[in-house]
Amino acid sequence: MSKHTSDNLRIKRKHLVWLKDAKGLSQSSIDKAAASIATYDRWLKGKDYRAFHSERARAFKRHLQGLRNERTGAPLSAATINGVLRDVMKLFDWMADQPGYKSRISRADIAYLTPDRKSEQARRSTLWKPHPSPEQVNHLLSIMPAETVVQRRDRALLAFLFLTGSREGAAITVRLRHVDLANKCVQFDGRSVDTKFGKSFTTSFFPFGDDVEQILRNWIRELRQDHLFSDTDPLFPKTRVAVGPSRRFEAAGIAREPWAGPSSAARIFKQAFVNAGLPPFSPHRVRDTIAELAKLHCKTPEDYKAWSQNMGHDDVMTTFSSYGSVSPGRQVELMGRFRRRGPLPDEDAVIDE
């Protein structure tokens, strides 16, 4: 290993520790930053971090434009490229204050890594995103197979995500003790559940109907009565794999441990929609569906505030700006209604009787 490579590795590790202990980032965010820096390292081919300059930054941006997704073969999306650039910028911005680096790295040169404004604006836009409608959700859950314990777990997972608006990373760390069926709510304890920013909050079930709630009730009853799970066991245990009659590894029920990461839950979510003949929606779209459902139930500011708090948001505007966009078709419909209705009466006008 060259001296430059070892120096790069040492300062990179120090930066990742800083992200964890000084900035308080979650492990998933740290892993993402490490992956972005690894992309830069592969392109750098062992050259010294301290030799960073504006032309190197510009060349790396051009390199990213030419990369392709390893799985799909498609060019990297603007969001992916911008994410890599932001992570690498954070590394060099931090290094610019470190002994042995701050005299070599200029923040004016680091600025050349800034993502272009057009793609960054597109990433931050609040345009309507395709997501399953509440009707599609109820249809999907009604036709999902439930013959095996793994199938029943998968169906309960989807029911739980829509009932609570939980992110899949939080859902797979929920324990049985966190679910209060009597009061139809879940205690998302940030000390043991992988919530965003480690927040703790209570979420009552969103109104998707008794049938959806019953799926979750039946699953918890099965875990406790048939599999003898206790309060400390995971609500969604991972699949137990064993050698089957065909002498190949295959699903053989459930284990008592949770999934190691959210990728399996995300794959189950997408595949369930595909199997039902629907688009392969991402679990990230669950909260868009819940925001759409709010329009059917919320009438007053207090209603919207309660709904927003139930999603774990401190500010109701977070709910509106991130998940409350109106679909293009609905937008056209509402504008047509406004034109037909005409202006509202002026309440301040004095009526001469």
Side-chain angles (χ1 to χ4, degrees):
M1 181 184 293
S2 69
K3 183 179 185 302
H4 289 163
T5 301
S6 61
D7 286 347
N8 290 352
L9 183 60
R10 189 178 304 110
I11 196 68
K12 179 173 66 174
R13 286 176 175 170
K14 188 177 178 181
H15 172 67
L16 296 177
V17 170
W18 178 80
L19 290 177
K20 179 182 179 181
D21 295 340
K23 302 300 290 183
L25 267 61
S26 66
Q27 188 58 50
S28 60
S29 296
I30 295 170
D31 291 344
K32 176 180 171 295
S36 297
I37 297 170
T39 300
Y40 181 76
D41 285 340
R42 287 192 294 271
W43 173 79
L44 198 60
K45 296 180 180 178
K47 297 184 180 72
D48 191 356
Y49 281 169
R50 283 170 286 224
F52 181 82
H53 51 80
S54 60
E55 286 305 314
R56 179 173 287 182
R58 295 176 64 196
F60 179 59
K61 291 175 78 171
R62 291 193 296 270
H63 169 71
L64 289 178
Q65 294 289 342
L67 289 182
R68 292 185 172 271
N69 186 295
E70 293 181 359
R71 182 174 57 85
T72 65
L76 296 184
S77 67
T80 299
I81 292 174
N82 291 1
V84 172
L85 290 173
R86 287 192 301 273
D87 288 333
V88 175
M89 280 186 70
K90 288 177 184 176
L91 169 67
F92 279 99
D93 190 63
W94 172 81
M95 280 197 298
D97 291 324
Q98 304 306 306
Y101 291 84
K102 58 184 177 182
S103 63
R104 303 285 300 276
I105 297 176
S106 162
R107 283 195 165 86
D109 288 338
I110 296 172
Y112 281 86
L113 288 170
T114 304
D116 69 90
R117 290 188 177 184
K118 182 177 180 180
S119 60
E120 187 68 1
Q121 182 62 35
R123 182 185 71 86
R124 293 176 177 271
S125 71
T126 57
L127 291 175
W128 181 82
K129 305 176 186 68
H131 57 268
S133 67
E135 293 78 16
Q136 287 176 323
V137 172
N138 282 277
H139 171 71
L140 170 66
L141 292 171
S142 69
I143 65 171
M144 283 186 70
E147 297 174 1
T148 69
V149 64
V150 172
Q151 290 173 338
R152 291 190 293 273
R153 180 206 59 193
D154 295 350
R155 185 176 64 162
L157 170 64
L158 266 73
F160 180 86
L161 291 175
F162 284 105
L163 286 173
T164 65
S166 167
R167 294 173 172 84
E168 67 271 27
I172 66 170
T173 54
V174 167
R175 304 282 172 168
L176 284 174
R177 69 172 183 268
H178 295 127
V179 184
D180 182 354
L181 289 178
N183 293 300
K184 299 185 177 183
C185 64
V186 179
Q187 306 288 339
F188 287 100
D189 187 344
R191 294 171 298 180
S192 54
V193 178
D194 188 17
T195 59
K196 191 172 184 180
F197 305 129
K199 291 174 59 177
S200 296
F201 55 93
T202 299
T203 292
S204 294
F205 293 165
F206 286 99
F208 278 93
D210 293 339
D211 291 343
V212 179
E213 293 179 15
Q214 193 60 45
I215 291 173
L216 183 60
R217 289 179 181 275
N218 291 343
W219 172 243
I220 292 177
R221 184 184 303 115
E222 178 179 346
L223 286 178
R224 291 188 180 277
Q225 295 181 0
D226 299 347
H227 304 285
L228 302 180
F229 273 38
S230 65
D231 283 349
T232 58
D233 287 317
L235 178 60
F236 300 110
K238 68 179 182 181
T239 305
R240 182 166 56 87
V241 178
V243 178
S246 62
R247 297 179 179 273
R248 295 180 179 179
F249 287 107
E250 57 187 46
I254 56 174
R256 200 174 283 270
E257 300 84 27
W259 279 305
S263 58
S264 294
R267 184 170 60 252
I268 289 168
F269 187 95
K270 290 183 178 181
Q271 192 59 48
F273 279 94
V274 171
N275 293 344
L278 297 169
F281 293 113
S282 162
H284 297 298
R285 301 282 74 83
V286 166
R287 296 167 79 81
D288 293 288
T289 301
I290 289 174
E292 179 180 340
L293 192 65
K295 300 168 188 175
L296 303 177
H297 295 275
C298 298
K299 303 299 181 185
T300 68
E302 184 182 34
D303 291 344
Y304 278 107
K305 180 59 178 178
W307 196 278
S308 176
Q309 286 182 189
N310 209 55
M311 294 179 71
H313 293 155
D314 295 327
D315 187 345
V316 69
M317 290 309 299
T318 302
T319 308
F320 286 128
S321 61
S322 299
Y323 305 103
S325 298
V326 178
S327 68
R330 179 62 173 164
Q331 175 184 328
V332 172
E333 177 186 342
L334 288 173
M335 294 308 298
R337 182 185 302 176
F338 297 152
R339 289 192 297 273
R340 291 191 298 272
R341 185 177 62 191
L344 295 174
D346 186 356
E347 295 181 356
D348 295 330
V350 178
I351 300 177
D352 186 5
E353 297 183 350

